[in-house]
Amino acid sequence: MPQRTNDFQKLILRIHEILLPDGAILTESKMILDEYSGSMREVDICIETTIINQKLMFMIECRDHSRKQSTEWIEQLITKSKSLKANKVIAISHKGFYKPAIKLAQKHGIETLDLIEAQNEDWDKYKIKPGIALISHESYQLQGISIYTTNSPIPLKQFDNSTPVYYQGEELGSIIEFIEYYFKEHLTMEIDKKIGEEFKKMVNNLDDVRKPIQIEVIKHLAGLSLHTAKETTLNISKVQFIVIGTREVTDIPMEHKVFDKQMISFGKHLNSTYEHDVAIIQKPNCDNLTGNIKTVRK
């Protein structure tokens, strides 16, 4: 029999992936032997763990129906849990439960949970409303280069591109050739690191992610000189590089729901190659977030 699942069940699975204790095993649509009938039965989500050398099996059943669940489903779970020898049962209904169903579940040790849309007043208890942006590419470009021959900078564009550069009397090539070589061979990794550090400093919200940043790199280059067309020798003391960094950013639309007194924020982003699945859990009156991003190649 093919395994059954749906988006609601997969969301509950994602939540428990994050909350799963160390050493526990989480399985969706696990087939377990029914000791009463001798047949295999499917459990929506199964958690297997060991506590004080005792193996335990927790059974999580999910229903994404258009109305609340009644005692009928709880009665089915009571029978199913006994025949599968589950140590604990958690029943999760998207729309919740009628009061008699909750009362019956409590009597038999079944935990009942629902997943409801977050309301504006809920954010009084949850300090952070997460927003997720997918950064697909970081890049930078040179905005300007200045040559210091004294204490004042001279923009590179004021020199003829063919102006030769010398190091201790030996010609290295034109000023443009030297700058391109030096930037590629000696500055690329340093600028990558600086750009990354600056982006991390400035990101407090999604708007910050989109802002370009400007960094300055100054290199002291003793022993270099320029020989201009006017047969003037200019000794270079340092070179200033101005770099602008930008990011390609895509927002991931997020939904927010309350589950077991915790705020669950989740969303997905699809492109031609990957699926990015985000899930974040937040406890009330807490500054910390727990979650992850799963990336799957399509």
Side-chain angles (χ1 to χ4, degrees):
M1 183 178 70
Q3 295 176 336
R4 294 169 295 176
T5 187
N6 54 51
D7 290 342
F8 178 66
Q9 180 174 310
K10 287 187 177 298
L11 175 59
I12 300 302
L13 180 72
R14 286 285 283 120
I15 294 169
H16 283 86
E17 283 175 346
I18 297 169
L19 299 175
L20 193 69
D22 291 341
I25 299 172
L26 183 71
T27 309
E28 183 184 17
S29 300
K30 185 177 178 68
M31 304 303 294
I32 299 176
L33 177 65
D34 185 322
E35 296 198 359
Y36 291 176
S37 67
S39 61
M40 302 299 289
R41 298 188 66 182
E42 184 176 344
V43 172
D44 288 345
I45 299 170
C46 177
I47 298 177
E48 297 167 282
T49 188
T50 301
I51 300 177
I52 316 178
N53 297 322
Q54 183 178 358
K55 292 184 177 180
L56 302 175
M57 189 270 280
F58 301 156
M59 186 175 89
I60 301 174
E61 295 290 306
C62 309
R63 277 206 172 174
D64 186 18
H65 290 191
S66 59
R67 58 184 180 180
K68 294 181 179 181
Q69 291 301 296
S70 66
T71 56
E72 181 181 358
W73 187 38
I74 300 301
E75 289 167 351
Q76 293 171 3
L77 294 181
I78 293 169
T79 302
K80 183 176 181 179
S81 64
K82 289 179 179 178
S83 63
L84 299 185
K85 295 191 177 301
N87 300 100
K88 181 178 177 62
V89 180
I90 303 172
I92 304 175
S93 167
H94 201 167
K95 297 298 182 180
F97 298 84
Y98 290 112
K99 288 183 179 179
I102 295 173
K103 187 175 180 179
L104 179 62
Q106 289 173 340
K107 182 178 179 180
H108 289 270
I110 296 176
E111 186 176 357
T112 53
L113 298 173
D114 54 22
L115 187 73
I116 60 175
E117 296 287 343
Q119 305 299 317
N120 288 336
E121 56 268 23
D122 289 321
W123 295 107
D124 294 336
K125 294 182 291 184
Y126 301 96
K127 297 184 178 181
I128 304 170
K129 189 171 185 178
I132 301 294
L134 180 66
I135 300 168
S136 56
H137 183 64
E138 290 182 351
S139 62
Y140 58 81
Q141 61 181 8
L142 275 169
Q143 185 75 5
I145 301 172
S146 295
I147 308 293
Y148 282 77
T149 57
T150 58
N151 291 328
S152 300
I154 304 172
L156 179 64
K157 60 185 179 182
Q158 291 189 16
F159 293 95
D160 188 290
N161 288 346
S162 62
T163 301
V165 177
Y166 288 80
Y167 177 69
Q168 295 182 348
E170 181 179 348
E171 185 174 350
L172 300 179
S174 71
I175 182 67
I176 289 297
E177 290 171 337
F178 171 74
I179 290 295
E180 288 178 349
Y181 167 81
Y182 188 83
F183 186 86
K184 180 180 179 181
E185 297 297 326
H186 298 281
L187 288 185
T188 302
M189 291 183 63
E190 179 179 344
I191 288 175
D192 281 340
K193 183 178 179 181
K194 282 182 175 288
I195 290 284
E197 290 172 349
E198 291 301 314
F199 271 132
K200 288 177 183 177
K201 288 179 187 177
M202 66 178 283
V203 175
N204 294 311
N205 54 56
L206 288 178
D207 290 335
D208 286 343
V209 176
R210 295 177 175 82
K211 293 177 182 176
I213 62 169
Q214 177 176 301
I215 63 169
E216 175 188 76
V217 178
I218 294 179
K219 288 297 179 181
H220 295 269
L221 302 173
L224 289 175
S225 61
L226 293 172
H227 291 206
T228 68
K230 297 180 180 180
E231 298 184 355
T232 302
T233 299
L234 300 175
N235 293 319
I236 299 174
S237 59
K238 57 187 177 182
V239 179
Q240 177 194 52
F241 298 86
I242 303 296
V243 179
I244 301 295
T246 58
R247 284 172 157 172
E248 292 181 13
V249 179
T250 302
D251 286 333
I252 298 181
M254 300 292 287
E255 294 183 56
H256 309 280
K257 295 180 183 286
V258 179
F259 174 76
D260 194 17
K261 299 179 181 179
Q262 299 177 94
M263 182 64 73
I264 311 298
S265 302
F266 57 96
K268 287 186 178 182
H269 173 73
L270 302 174
N271 58 31
S272 59
T273 308
Y274 295 100
E275 175 181 294
H276 303 278
D277 184 351
V278 181
I280 298 171
I281 298 175
Q282 181 180 180
K283 294 181 179 179
N285 302 311
C286 180
D287 292 324
N288 297 324
L289 301 177
T290 303
N292 58 36
I293 300 177
K294 291 176 64 176
T295 300
V296 179
R297 192 177 185 90
K298 295 172 63 178

